[in-house]
Amino acid sequence: MPVRIVQSTASAYSYPLLIKQLLLTPLSIAPDQEITYQGKLRYNYRKLRERIGRLAGGLAALGVESGQTVAMMDWDSHRYLESFFAVPMMGAILQTVNVRLSPEQILYTLNHAGADVLMVNSEFFPILAEIAGKLETVKTFVLISDEPAMPTSPVAAVAEYEAMLAAASPDYDFPDFDENAQATTFYTTGTTGNPKGVYFSHRQLVLHTLGVASVLGGAHRQGHIHRDDVYMPMTPMFHVHAWGFPYLATMMGLKQVYPGRYQPDVICRLIHEEGVSFSHCVPTILHMILSHAKARETDFSKLKILIGGAALPEAMAVAAQKLGMDLFSGYGMSETCPVLSIAHLDTSDLALDTEAQAVIRAKTGRPLPLVDLRVVDPQLRDVAHDGKATGEVVVRAPWLTQGYVGAPEASEELWAGGYLHTADIGNINPAGYLKVTDRIKDVIKTGGEWTSSLQLEDIIAKHEAVHEVAVIGVPDDKWGERPLALVLLKPELLGQVSEHALRNFAAHAIEAQGVSRYGVLLQVRFVKTLVKTSVGKMNKRLMRADPEALCL
Amino acid sequence: MPVRIVQSTASAYSYPLLIKQLLLTPLSIAPDQEITYQGKLRYNYRKLRERIGRLAGGLAALGVESGQTVAMMDWDSHRYLESFFAVPMMGAILQTVNVRLSPEQILYTLNHAGADVLMVNSEFFPILAEIAGKLETVKTFVLISDEPAMPTSPVAAVAEYEAMLAAASPDYDFPDFDENAQATTFYTTGTTGNPKGVYFSHRQLVLHTLGVASVLGGAHRQGHIHRDDVYMPMTPMFHVHAWGFPYLATMMGLKQVYPGRYQPDVICRLIHEEGVSFSHCVPTILHMILSHAKARETDFSKLKILIGGAALPEAMAVAAQKLGMDLFSGYGMSETCPVLSIAHLDTSDLALDTEAQAVIRAKTGRPLPLVDLRVVDPQLRDVAHDGKATGEVVVRAPWLTQGYVGAPEASEELWAGGYLHTADIGNINPAGYLKVTDRIKDVIKTGGEWTSSLQLEDIIAKHEAVHEVAVIGVPDDKWGERPLALVLLKPELLGQVSEHALRNFAAHAIEAQGVSRYGVLLQVRFVKTLVKTSVGKMNKRLMRADPEALCL
């Protein structure tokens, strides 16, 4: 017998999961709550809703229809928040443009996505000047600026953001439509080939928001997000919807703080002045903030920070804890909306010392509700959950991209066997914690076995002279590959330690911890700089190509 | 242009929202967490999952197929929890039978729902004996008993629950299917006419679980559910899925305690011995527990209790707070899965004194995420949110019954105008709190205006001699109706206060609080007993029919 599908009476409302419905709660329970841009501009949720209506009305007046794509180039701002809602709520698609890509790549993503409209901050006019003549689908430009007067634009603009909103009515009537309508698109910044476009539906974004709310709400004494929190993103809004937190913060009716371009002094000021208590970022950004002079006078003790996008070094977790921060890891990627797991501590873990806590905080975490996360061998069979056996992390969840834009082969590869392949290598311990040990392409194959570059990095980062480190595999006649640590020393400790001494420090720790049989093959070189991707991750592909060029 | 529907590559998993997926997290993050039945039987989530597989396998061996209906008659037990999952996960429909209805009504609901299988606890064999001959669709019986030996059954049973599980394999392969498949059905216990059947899909139950998790997780210092909580239902599992909390507690991997039949001494023992920290019930049940001798030796100071199903009297909120309980209201009904709103206090409200807090705790609360809750006039226009203007509460949410079983007219009436009509009268204050002031049918129409019976009850309940009170409208030549308070005195204070004195006490409070212009028309009568419905709510329809018969 088939299952029985529920019958709806003719007048019943069949509730589609649409982004507009995330606005119901804040308008009902926190209409006067504040949203601020850099502490300079402030408004409340009533005004947010009004401006969302005006933005949609303004775009509609420019001819934007459902099914079209509106691209955005801005730093983290109230305007970006408005576009997160207004554009999808019209039935159009928001393309969040990665402004840290090269102009050629930005051009590629806009043409590839078929963007119809581009909203662009004047800070990016130099990029716009380079690409404007080669844009194939963008016909309409909306200019944005924080300057008192709009700088001269390299394009004949149709509208200016604030003037467009002022001229439009707040009473745009946002329609209902299929919850599987596409809401957003953006391009992943892989280290090889052209960027690949991923895409998410209204349903996926609503479910992601509820999933993250459930897991962060269910926390007890650590990593709990609640309605007294003040939220500020430190992950760009162009990067996987700032991990979905602007949607979550809005649904919860939190005070929200948008910092614009990430400047450590502004970030520190906003944390202090606005009482920011919840944020998220990649390790590189946290490193940048903590290294800034202003950090020494900033009270971080109220701050919960979710770290993701790259492995959290345990040394950083220790340093942050010593400042009073509640730092913990999450896991996900562009393809996964992104959050898949969170490394919450159990209440009993809070009795552990800082170092022991850091080990848990730096894990990749435990899966969110509805997330079916597995570590499997090439035949999609589960590996043992013993904290040792490694395999590829594969996943099912209600919020994963269903493919790559216009790339059928890559899409099928991503979803081979009905699970999304993360290309991450990891293990699961008996307590259910995932630990990602490497990217498939970054793993070092020594003597036929895998050596985790991340584990070696963790060990070396603990030396007091080390500022940053990347471990890569270099070709070796005998072993296939052997690990090479590229180490950036703290400037003030340059000359105080030798490559040889650091190698011995690492070898001792490798032996003591028994992390890798072939870890003893490690070589250490000091470098002038490390190469990173546009979102601040180590670009190991480029470093592998010519490590010698980086060395001191 | 139409919206663009997201394209799925052939191998992509299109994730249907199915109840089975609520089991992913606990098995991953808390496989060894405990579930106990009365403290006598204990097992962990691994065992729960195994028994869910066995229950499905056993039912399949009896011929149960997807689309069929399996009815359950049991008190709150681990078996009920197993059936909450196993039956819908097979694609079958779980009918939760209200065992407090009369045998005739139980018979009606089983025949009306077309139940194929009945799982029944031996405690209900007397009922079964009365109805067995008249069951039109039930062909298969599964017997349950807590007795050492199964009592003699009035029917030729096909199986015994534990033996059936023991004989089945735990490896039942639960299939994927349409998320709009019906998962549950049960019958509302209206005070007029035959019970009406409501029904919920997998999708609705999953979304309800996430919605409740979001709102209770987002709380800060009050009413926060978290992963260290120990859960026990005190709302029957046959009544709107015990408000959905067994699904939530399971998804969160909480320790769960099932108390069987509600006996105040057992409840108090379990709260103490098992460390219960989160529960929910109707006011009547809490009243019963607090009135029991054992309550005096029980520490309630760790207990959070959500009150719903009927208005929480402010006096009860005060009494519970004085015992250290964190008591707060929720709002919903059988038709709404049920939770629509929760009366959390803001952190600033926690500085208020007990009485002032009780006013907020006894409100109906603020809507959950995704809940579009309005108070409207008969033309579906919003009334002012001034805490005074009243209208009917209407609602949209992703988890509302889409009709009544086999009752097209009542279904259309329920959904008139595309909103579900709650038949409750309420107001919304500027802070967004809903206060339900009456049922449409219980409201008292005096001099052409509405007088809230609940407000008058709240005032009278504050008198120290009053055990329970129900205010109803009685016909009056001059005023149309006037309010009559039927008062059950505390036995030990009988004779210490007169009807006249209590009326004066109420009149003073009515005048001081300015609650109702016509409140002064109130009459007070002492009664021998009050009439309640099967789920412990006041049955005002029956009391209105002949109030004199109840009086002392």
Side-chain angles (χ1 to χ4, degrees):
Chain A
M1 248 170 95
V3 293
R4 189 192 303 172
I5 304 300
V6 291
Q7 297 301 305
S8 293
T9 189
S11 296
Y13 182 68
S14 78
Y15 196 110
L17 298 176
L18 298 175
I19 285 172
K20 69 174 177 179
Q21 287 143 347
L22 298 177
L23 284 172
L24 287 167
T25 340
L27 289 171
S28 163
I29 75 173
D32 297 315
Q33 183 62 274
E34 262 185 351
I35 296 166
T36 177
Y37 178 50
Q38 297 184 321
K40 294 173 186 166
L41 176 151
R42 281 169 208 282
Y43 59 62
N44 63 21
Y45 278 82
R46 275 186 245 273
K47 188 83 175 180
L48 170 66
R49 176 62 183 79
E50 191 186 307
R51 285 175 58 93
I52 288 169
R54 289 178 185 275
L55 175 53
L59 289 172
L62 294 179
V64 173
E65 294 178 25
S66 61
Q68 291 193 337
T69 298
V70 177
M72 182 73 165
M73 290 176 73
D74 197 4
W75 301 117
D76 289 7
S77 68
H78 60 299
R79 296 171 298 244
Y80 225 133
L81 180 66
E82 290 154 14
S83 74
F84 265 42
F85 285 89
V87 176
M89 283 164 64
M90 299 174 73
I93 296 145
L94 177 69
Q95 179 180 5
T96 59
V97 179
N98 182 343
V99 296
R100 295 223 183 88
L101 293 179
S102 68
E104 292 70 30
Q105 284 181 311
I106 291 176
L107 176 68
Y108 172 84
T109 65
L110 288 167
N111 285 339
H112 195 257
D116 299 284
V117 177
L118 178 60
M119 304 201 286
V120 54
N121 189 308
S122 60
E123 291 205 25
F124 309 112
F125 282 180
I127 298 174
L128 187 58
E130 281 196 55
I131 67 173
K134 299 173 213 153
L135 285 168
E136 294 163 7
T137 56
V138 174
K139 283 162 219 75
T140 308
F141 296 89
V142 178
L143 307 184
I144 295 169
S145 187
D146 289 325
E147 304 296 322
M150 177 64 67
T152 307
S153 154
V155 295
V158 175
E160 185 279 320
Y161 191 90
E162 287 300 331
M164 180 175 80
L165 265 63
S169 157
D171 300 324
Y172 189 91
D173 186 23
F174 291 104
D176 276 4
F177 43 75
D178 190 322
E179 67 185 20
N180 295 306
Q182 189 178 328
T184 61
T185 190
F186 55 88
Y187 283 70
T188 66
T189 53
T191 49
T192 54
N194 273 322
K196 288 192 292 239
V198 295
Y199 45 91
F200 298 93
S201 68
H202 283 255
R203 169 186 164 107
Q204 290 179 319
L205 285 164
V206 170
L207 290 171
H208 180 266
T209 305
L210 291 172
V212 176
S214 297
V215 74
L216 290 178
H220 186 194
R221 298 190 187 282
Q222 183 275 315
H224 175 218
I225 197 166
H226 54 68
R227 284 187 285 277
D228 290 335
D229 272 320
V230 177
Y231 166 71
M232 179 173 76
M234 298 200 295
T235 312
M237 295 176 83
F238 63 72
H239 190 54
V240 212
H241 327 106
W243 302 356
F245 280 90
Y247 289 121
L248 175 60
T250 302
M251 181 182 86
M252 294 181 73
L254 303 190
K255 176 174 171 182
Q256 300 186 52
V257 180
Y258 287 88
R261 179 181 207 141
Y262 295 162
Q263 303 168 87
D265 56 335
V266 174
I267 297 270
C268 287
R269 174 176 65 79
L270 291 173
I271 289 170
H272 173 70
E273 290 179 1
E274 303 295 336
V276 174
S277 63
F278 197 96
S279 192
H280 49 79
C281 61
V282 293
T284 321
I285 294 283
L286 184 63
H287 194 269
M288 176 183 92
I289 293 163
L290 294 184
S291 309
H292 193 269
K294 187 106 183 183
R296 262 164 262 147
E297 345 162 340
T298 306
D299 177 8
F300 293 106
S301 68
K302 302 280 188 303
L303 193 59
K304 296 168 273 197
I305 299 200
L306 185 68
I307 299 290
L312 167 62
E314 287 172 21
M316 188 183 284
V318 169
Q321 278 183 84
K322 286 184 176 160
L323 293 172
M325 279 190 205
D326 177 5
L327 195 78
F328 58 115
S329 296
Y331 173 61
M333 53 193 63
S334 297
E335 287 82 351
T336 64
C337 200
V339 187
L340 296 174
S341 71
I342 298 279
H344 274 127
L345 276 74
D346 288 332
T347 296
S348 57
D349 296 331
L350 294 172
L352 299 172
D353 65 25
T354 306
E355 282 71 20
Q357 283 193 27
V359 173
I360 304 172
R361 291 174 185 270
K363 282 191 195 287
T364 322
R366 296 187 292 204
L368 267 60
L370 307 187
V371 172
D372 181 8
L373 188 152
R374 301 168 59 203
V375 173
V376 298
D377 69 15
Q379 284 73 45
L380 276 179
R381 292 175 303 211
D382 290 283
V383 304
H385 289 192
D386 57 6
K388 287 175 192 156
T390 56
E392 188 183 5
V393 181
V394 298
V395 69
R396 287 176 169 178
W399 48 76
L400 310 182
T401 191
Q402 298 287 292
Y404 292 115
V405 179
E409 275 180 41
S411 299
E412 274 299 294
E413 202 179 312
L414 179 70
W415 274 103
Y419 277 85
L420 185 143
H421 290 253
T422 65
D424 280 329
I425 301 295
N427 63 60
I428 294 183
N429 76 6
Y433 284 92
L434 172 69
K435 173 84 186 176
V436 166
T437 55
D438 238 317
R439 293 289 294 167
I440 279 190
K441 60 181 183 301
D442 290 340
V443 82
I444 300 160
K445 287 156 208 106
T446 311
E449 287 187 17
W450 283 349
T451 299
S452 162
S453 62
L454 297 190
Q455 280 182 322
L456 297 177
E457 287 166 8
D458 248 356
I459 284 170
I460 295 163
K462 282 181 179 142
H463 192 286
E464 54 170 9
V466 174
H467 182 71
E468 279 186 299
V469 55
V471 171
I472 59 174
V474 290
D476 183 275
D477 287 344
K478 181 169 179 193
W479 300 102
E481 281 188 336
R482 60 187 296 175
L484 170 66
L486 302 173
V487 173
L488 191 63
L489 291 177
K490 290 177 184 162
E492 67 274 24
L493 294 177
L494 212 60
Q496 309 274 313
V497 64
S498 69
E499 290 174 343
H500 183 72
L502 190 54
R503 195 216 153 269
N504 284 349
F505 166 84
H508 278 298
I510 288 164
E511 204 166 334
Q513 297 173 33
V515 287
S516 164
R517 188 140 69 110
Y518 294 103
V520 292
L521 296 172
L522 179 75
Q523 296 171 300
V524 170
R525 294 296 301 277
F526 293 158
V527 296
K528 300 184 285 277
T529 183
L530 292 165
V531 186
K532 293 182 185 171
T533 70
S534 67
V535 293
K537 299 186 197 179
M538 295 291 177
N539 190 332
K540 294 193 179 176
R541 186 183 61 85
L542 283 186
M543 291 191 276
R544 268 198 307 268
D546 189 5
E548 203 58 43
L550 302 170
C551 291
L552 282 176
Chain B
M1 249 170 96
V3 293
R4 189 193 303 172
I5 303 301
V6 292
Q7 296 301 305
S8 294
T9 189
S11 296
Y13 181 68
S14 79
Y15 196 110
L17 299 176
L18 297 175
I19 285 171
K20 69 175 178 180
Q21 287 144 345
L22 298 177
L23 284 172
L24 287 167
T25 341
L27 289 171
S28 163
I29 73 174
D32 297 314
Q33 183 61 274
E34 264 186 350
I35 296 166
T36 178
Y37 177 50
Q38 298 184 323
K40 294 173 186 166
L41 177 150
R42 278 169 211 283
Y43 60 62
N44 62 23
Y45 278 83
R46 275 187 245 272
K47 188 87 174 176
L48 170 66
R49 175 61 183 77
E50 191 186 307
R51 285 174 59 91
I52 288 168
R54 290 178 184 277
L55 176 52
L59 288 172
L62 293 179
V64 173
E65 294 178 24
S66 61
Q68 290 193 338
T69 299
V70 176
M72 182 74 166
M73 290 177 72
D74 196 5
W75 300 117
D76 289 7
S77 69
H78 60 301
R79 298 172 296 245
Y80 225 133
L81 180 66
E82 290 154 13
S83 74
F84 265 41
F85 285 89
V87 175
M89 282 164 65
M90 300 173 72
I93 296 145
L94 177 69
Q95 180 180 5
T96 59
V97 180
N98 183 342
V99 296
R100 294 222 184 89
L101 293 178
S102 67
E104 293 69 30
Q105 284 182 308
I106 291 175
L107 175 69
Y108 171 85
T109 65
L110 288 166
N111 285 340
H112 195 257
D116 299 283
V117 176
L118 179 60
M119 304 202 286
V120 55
N121 189 308
S122 62
E123 291 206 26
F124 308 113
F125 282 179
I127 297 173
L128 188 58
E130 280 196 54
I131 67 173
K134 298 174 214 152
L135 285 168
E136 293 163 8
T137 56
V138 174
K139 282 162 221 76
T140 308
F141 296 88
V142 178
L143 307 185
I144 295 169
S145 187
D146 289 325
E147 305 296 322
M150 178 63 67
T152 307
S153 154
V155 295
V158 175
E160 185 277 319
Y161 191 90
E162 287 300 332
M164 181 174 80
L165 265 64
S169 157
D171 300 324
Y172 188 92
D173 185 22
F174 291 103
D176 277 3
F177 42 75
D178 190 324
E179 65 185 21
N180 295 306
Q182 189 178 328
T184 61
T185 189
F186 55 88
Y187 283 69
T188 66
T189 54
T191 49
T192 54
N194 274 323
K196 286 191 294 243
V198 295
Y199 46 91
F200 297 94
S201 68
H202 283 255
R203 169 187 164 107
Q204 291 180 319
L205 286 163
V206 170
L207 289 172
H208 181 265
T209 305
L210 291 173
V212 176
S214 298
V215 74
L216 290 178
H220 186 194
R221 299 192 186 281
Q222 183 274 317
H224 174 218
I225 196 165
H226 54 67
R227 285 188 284 277
D228 290 333
D229 273 319
V230 177
Y231 166 71
M232 179 174 76
M234 298 200 295
T235 312
M237 295 177 83
F238 62 73
H239 189 56
V240 211
H241 327 106
W243 301 355
F245 280 91
Y247 288 122
L248 175 61
T250 302
M251 181 182 86
M252 294 182 72
L254 303 190
K255 176 175 171 183
Q256 300 187 51
V257 180
Y258 288 88
R261 181 181 204 139
Y262 295 161
Q263 303 167 86
D265 56 335
V266 174
I267 296 269
C268 288
R269 173 177 66 78
L270 291 172
I271 289 171
H272 173 69
E273 290 179 2
E274 303 295 337
V276 174
S277 63
F278 197 95
S279 192
H280 49 80
C281 62
V282 294
T284 321
I285 294 283
L286 184 63
H287 194 269
M288 177 183 91
I289 293 163
L290 294 184
S291 309
H292 192 270
K294 186 104 182 184
R296 261 164 263 147
E297 339 160 348
T298 306
D299 176 9
F300 293 106
S301 67
K302 302 279 189 302
L303 193 60
K304 294 167 275 197
I305 299 200
L306 184 67
I307 299 291
L312 167 62
E314 288 171 21
M316 187 181 285
V318 169
Q321 279 182 85
K322 286 183 176 162
L323 293 172
M325 279 189 205
D326 177 5
L327 195 78
F328 58 116
S329 296
Y331 173 62
M333 54 192 63
S334 296
E335 287 82 350
T336 64
C337 200
V339 187
L340 297 173
S341 71
I342 298 279
H344 275 127
L345 276 73
D346 288 332
T347 296
S348 58
D349 295 332
L350 294 171
L352 299 173
D353 66 25
T354 306
E355 283 69 20
Q357 283 192 26
V359 173
I360 304 172
R361 291 173 186 271
K363 283 190 195 290
T364 321
R366 295 187 293 203
L368 266 62
L370 306 187
V371 171
D372 181 9
L373 189 152
R374 301 169 58 202
V375 173
V376 297
D377 69 16
Q379 283 74 45
L380 277 178
R381 291 174 303 210
D382 290 284
V383 305
H385 289 192
D386 57 5
K388 287 176 192 155
T390 56
E392 187 182 6
V393 181
V394 298
V395 69
R396 287 175 168 178
W399 48 76
L400 311 181
T401 190
Q402 299 286 293
Y404 291 115
V405 179
E409 274 181 42
S411 299
E412 274 300 294
E413 202 178 312
L414 179 70
W415 274 104
Y419 277 84
L420 185 143
H421 290 253
T422 65
D424 279 329
I425 300 297
N427 63 57
I428 294 182
N429 76 7
Y433 284 94
L434 173 69
K435 173 84 187 177
V436 166
T437 54
D438 238 317
R439 294 288 294 166
I440 279 189
K441 61 183 184 300
D442 289 341
V443 82
I444 300 161
K445 289 159 206 97
T446 310
E449 288 185 16
W450 283 348
T451 299
S452 161
S453 61
L454 297 189
Q455 280 183 321
L456 297 177
E457 287 166 8
D458 247 356
I459 285 170
I460 295 163
K462 284 182 178 141
H463 191 284
E464 56 170 9
V466 173
H467 183 70
E468 280 187 297
V469 56
V471 171
I472 58 174
V474 290
D476 183 273
D477 287 345
K478 182 169 176 194
W479 300 102
E481 281 188 338
R482 63 187 293 175
L484 170 66
L486 301 173
V487 174
L488 191 64
L489 291 176
K490 291 177 183 162
E492 67 273 23
L493 293 178
L494 212 60
Q496 308 274 312
V497 63
S498 69
E499 292 174 341
H500 183 71
L502 190 54
R503 195 217 154 269
N504 283 349
F505 166 84
H508 278 299
I510 288 165
E511 202 167 334
Q513 297 174 33
V515 287
S516 164
R517 189 139 70 110
Y518 295 104
V520 292
L521 296 173
L522 178 77
Q523 295 172 301
V524 171
R525 294 295 301 278
F526 293 158
V527 296
K528 302 185 282 280
T529 183
L530 291 165
V531 186
K532 293 181 185 172
T533 70
S534 67
V535 291
K537 299 185 196 180
M538 295 292 176
N539 191 332
K540 293 192 178 177
R541 187 183 62 84
L542 282 187
M543 291 193 273
R544 269 199 305 268
D546 188 5
E548 203 58 43
L550 303 170
C551 292
L552 283 175

